[in-house]
């Protein structure tokens, strides 16, 4: 015997939704929710190549800075085709809360390089030479100049994380080297995070460093015996926290859908790229950045820029087919996917049929109904209900025979890092029964039983986000729906911020 509330709900159903066939009976969604068939954007490679021609990421050891300075944090030199101000930090570009540099990234000495070999020699001692002006300059030191001290330079280079190239040269008429700095040496050893060639010896000095004395001509700086030593390859980067390597290194950049934009950074720094992806605002259609492609632009044989392209769809090597254009060659291309803590967030693991079926629980998700409710949270195999693929979840009685809110929760708790911020992201569609009936539809996001976000009202698949803090083992739940104001969910992700 149905309870009075249930009878009332049934009566309400009959009045308001006589023509509706519920999802449990394979009803078709309201026709108003026509799918958005706009193709997902792909990279504008011409803009990237054009921007590579505008930025200048090349530098030498400065004449006025002391030796042994800390390696500066990676900076952003361009965003989406616009060259940024000098010294623009990653944090300044990140919109979200991902501005903390993870402790593991700082001063990482795990990847010491040895095996530097000479890649070019300096000119004979008496002749003016030039030092390297190249990308990914890190820092410099001076070594004892009693001899042309290659060994001391290379020994020092091995202590600089990510150093793969040094340029060793004498710099004359530098007042600070000659009189101020304690080392009293003019033999400079400059470290780089990328490998440079003699073609990049373009800094001939010519700067005034000595003080003016009376009307004497100030002697200008000049350089001699500028040689270069390099390792075979760049340092293999550690995979950034919260990501996994999808492919690379290859000579092809992604030309994949779901492109959100790009930034140039001043070093090949996968952690910086991950931070930019984490901090990139959401795309209204696709949601958060879920993938980045980092690659080096080599223009006419010279390393020129480090590109970080961001995507809301995960790409792979099959679309890494942009090898460059004109003088620009793509090198060291790697793809990294952001790791979601939500298991089977797309509900694609439920494959009990090949056409139409549903269940209250599968291996990764559990649906529950309150007392007196039936099938108030279910998992469907039926492509027309899904945002992507064939699976989705439904909140609200599948057969429409009660108006209770259902609860959907992962079968296993979410393994988080205590104290760490995460963003729960999913797509909700409350359009099945049309705008009038669905006006009251809603879904709440609960984190350990506490409401942390949600959405109400009629909508076709749209992004919903909630920022949460991990405790180590956390319970996520989606609570909502009230047939016939059903709510579908799809593409649930939980990303570290
Ligand atoms: C950028 O940083 C360098 C080194 O910290 C500093 O010498 C320079 O003045 C800065 N440039 C600008 C425009 O702030
Ligand atoms: C950033 O963090 C603050 C405080 O924790 C929060 O109020 C805000 O919503 C967060 N912003 C984003 C974009 O996550
Ligand atoms: C070594 O460096 C010092 C300081 O710059 C300079 O005065 C001296 O002449 C240099 N010696 C040689 C041999 O180049
Ligand atoms: C400086 O210039 C004056 C005249 O212009 C000249 O008489 C004098 O010898 C010069 N001094 C030096 C050190 O060259």
């Amino acid at each position: 015997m149905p309870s009075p509330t249930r009878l009332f709900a049934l009566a309400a159903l009959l009045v308001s939704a006589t023509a509706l066939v519920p999802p449990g009976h394979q009803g078709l969604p309201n026709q108003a929710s026509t799918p958005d068939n706009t193709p997902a954007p792909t990279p504008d490679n011409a803009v990237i190549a054009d921007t590579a021609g505008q930025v200048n990421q090349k530098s030498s050891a400065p004449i006025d800075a002391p030796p042994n300075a800390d390696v500066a944090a990676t900076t952003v030199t361009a965003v989406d085709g616009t060259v940024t101000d000098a010294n623009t930090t990653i944090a300044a570009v990140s919109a979200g809360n991902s501005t903390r540099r993870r402790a593991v990234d700082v001063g990482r000495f795990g990847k010491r390089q040895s095996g530097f070999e000479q890649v070019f020699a300096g000119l004979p001692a008496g002749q003016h030479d030039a030092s390297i002006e190249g990308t990914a300059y890190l820092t410099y030191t001076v070594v004892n100049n009693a001899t042309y001290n290659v060994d001391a330079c290379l020994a020092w280079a091995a202590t600089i994380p990510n150093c793969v190239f040094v340029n060793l040269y004498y710099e004359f008429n530098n007042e600070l080297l000659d009189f101020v700095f304690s080392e009293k040496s003019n033999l400079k050893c400059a470290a780089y995070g990328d490998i440079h060639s003699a073609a990049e010896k373009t800094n001939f000095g010519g700067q005034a460093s000595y003080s003016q004395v009376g009307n004497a001509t100030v002697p200008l700086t000049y350089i001699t015996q500028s040689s270069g030593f390099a390792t075979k390859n760049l340092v293999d980067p550690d995979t950034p926290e919260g990501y996994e390597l999808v492919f690379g290194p290859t000579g092809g950049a992604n030309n994949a859908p779901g492109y959100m934009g790009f930034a140039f950074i001043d070093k090949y720094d996968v952690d910086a790229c991950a931070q930019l992806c984490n901090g990139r605002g959401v795309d209204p259609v696709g949601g958060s950045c879920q993938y980045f492609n980092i690659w080096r632009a080599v223009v006419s044989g010279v390393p020129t820029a480090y590109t970080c392209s961001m995507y809301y769809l995960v790409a792979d090597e099959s679309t890494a087919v942009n090898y460059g254009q004109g003088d620009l060659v793509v090198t060291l291309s790697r793809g990294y996917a952001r790791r979601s803590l939500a298991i089977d967030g797309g509900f694609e693991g439920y494959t009990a049929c090949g056409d139409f079926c549903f269940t209250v629980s599968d291996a990764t998700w559990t649906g529950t109904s309150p007392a007196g409710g039936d099938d108030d949270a279910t998992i469907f195999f039926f492509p027309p209900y899904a945002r992507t693929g064939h699976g989705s979840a439904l909140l609200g009685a599948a057969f429409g025979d009660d108006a209770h809110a259902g609860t959907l929760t992962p079968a296993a708790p979410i393994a988080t890092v205590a104290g760490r911020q995460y963003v729960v992201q999913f797509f909700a569609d409350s359009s099945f029964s049309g705008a009038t009936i669905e006006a009251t539809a809603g879904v709440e996001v609960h984190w350990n039983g506490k409401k942390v976000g949600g959405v109400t009202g009629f909508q076709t698949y749209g992004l919903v986000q909630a920022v949460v803090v991990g405790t180590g083992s956390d319970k996520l739940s989606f609570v909502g729906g009230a047939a016939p104001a059903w709510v579908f969910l799809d593409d649930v992700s939980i990303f570290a911020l």
Side-chain angles (χ1 to χ4, degrees):
M1 174 74 188
S3 69
T5 28
R6 187 143 172 206
L7 279 176
F8 178 78
L10 283 172
L13 267 181
L14 289 173
V15 172
S16 60
T18 21
L20 281 175
V21 179
H25 290 305
Q26 207 177 329
L28 287 182
N30 182 276
Q31 289 310 298
S33 60
T34 44
D36 180 1
N37 288 324
T38 321
T42 54
D44 187 337
N45 296 315
V47 171
I48 297 176
D50 182 60
T51 310
Q54 292 176 45
V55 294
N56 181 7
Q57 307 195 347
K58 297 171 187 170
S59 59
S60 300
I63 63 160
D64 55 357
N68 305 315
D70 288 343
V71 174
T74 299
T75 63
V76 177
T77 60
V79 176
D80 299 335
T82 303
V83 176
T84 49
D85 294 338
N87 299 352
T88 298
T89 61
I90 301 288
V93 174
S94 295
N97 281 327
S98 57
T99 52
R100 289 172 303 153
R101 188 104 179 143
R102 309 298 300 161
V104 294
D105 302 336
V106 179
R108 179 155 52 82
F109 280 79
K111 295 284 175 65
R112 277 170 201 245
Q113 291 286 311
S114 53
F116 284 88
E117 300 203 351
Q118 187 168 63
V119 286
F120 57 85
L123 295 179
Q127 294 180 29
H128 284 202
D129 202 346
S131 67
I132 291 289
E133 264 182 311
T135 56
Y137 168 72
L138 301 174
T139 183
Y140 85 94
T141 193
V142 287
V143 292
N144 187 327
N145 67 354
T147 59
Y148 189 71
N149 209 335
V150 174
D151 289 349
C153 177
L154 297 185
W156 169 81
T159 69
I160 304 299
N162 299 316
C163 173
V164 292
F165 173 85
V166 284
N167 181 205
L168 180 66
Y169 56 93
Y170 292 101
E171 184 169 284
F172 288 93
N173 294 332
N174 181 323
E175 185 165 38
L176 298 172
L177 297 182
D178 292 349
F179 303 110
V180 177
F181 298 147
S182 59
E183 294 85 356
K184 296 291 179 292
S185 172
N186 62 353
L187 186 54
K188 275 184 156 179
C189 172
Y192 288 83
D194 205 341
I195 296 169
H196 297 294
S197 62
E200 297 170 78
K201 295 211 291 192
T202 56
N203 176 17
F204 293 87
Q207 289 155 292
S209 168
Y210 273 35
S211 313
Q212 182 81 44
V213 179
N215 50 6
T217 308
V218 173
L220 300 180
T221 60
Y222 67 94
I223 282 152
T224 67
Q225 298 187 65
S226 170
S227 61
F229 300 82
T231 58
K232 286 225 158 30
N233 297 300
L234 265 59
V235 175
D236 261 351
D238 287 339
T239 301
E241 192 200 1
Y243 284 81
E244 57 200 32
L245 178 68
V246 177
F247 78 91
T250 74
N254 283 116
N255 234 339
Y259 176 67
M260 302 176 84
F262 76 98
F264 282 163
I265 52 181
D266 70 351
K267 303 184 194 72
Y268 192 92
D269 182 342
V270 296
D271 292 314
C273 206
Q275 283 181 283
L276 289 172
C277 182
N278 292 356
R280 183 93 193 181
V282 296
D283 180 278
V285 174
S288 300
C289 178
Q290 301 205 27
Y291 177 88
F292 70 83
N293 176 214
I294 184 169
W295 53 275
R296 175 178 67 172
V298 172
V299 178
S300 304
V302 172
T304 299
Y306 307 93
T307 305
C308 180
S309 291
M310 291 160 273
Y311 291 82
Y312 59 75
L313 296 175
V314 175
D316 61 28
E317 192 171 356
S318 68
T319 55
V321 295
N322 167 23
Y323 305 106
Q325 55 223 102
D327 295 338
L328 188 155
V329 174
V330 173
T331 59
L332 299 178
S333 175
R334 288 179 170 93
Y336 292 89
R338 205 168 172 188
R339 221 175 17 231
S340 171
L341 274 55
I343 312 283
D344 191 24
F347 306 100
E348 301 298 311
Y350 174 60
T351 53
C353 60
D355 174 25
F356 173 87
C357 52
F358 69 96
T359 180
V360 291
S361 307
D362 69 2
T364 48
W365 293 94
T366 305
T368 50
S369 304
D374 276 318
D375 297 333
D376 292 331
T378 46
I379 299 142
F380 274 74
F381 183 110
F382 191 47
Y385 295 163
R387 173 177 176 267
T388 55
H390 50 69
S392 60
L394 176 70
L395 296 177
F399 293 116
D401 48 9
D402 67 67
H404 297 312
T407 299
L408 184 76
T409 197
I414 312 287
T416 56
V417 174
R420 185 79 200 259
Q421 258 194 347
Y422 298 85
V423 60
V424 176
Q425 166 187 300
F426 63 102
F427 291 83
D429 184 310
S430 50
S431 67
F432 186 90
S433 305
T436 311
I437 295 172
E438 296 277 8
T440 57
V443 53
E444 293 183 354
V445 186
H446 291 198
W447 188 253
N448 300 320
K450 194 169 156 268
K451 183 186 170 187
V452 290
V455 67
T456 54
F458 173 88
Q459 68 169 20
T460 55
Y461 269 119
L463 178 72
V464 186
Q465 293 200 105
V467 174
V468 297
V469 176
T471 66
S473 174
D474 296 278
K475 184 178 179 186
L476 168 71
S477 317
F478 298 105
V479 182
W486 287 286
V487 180
F488 286 93
L489 308 182
D490 204 354
D491 298 327
V492 180
S493 316
I494 306 171
F495 296 124
L497 280 174

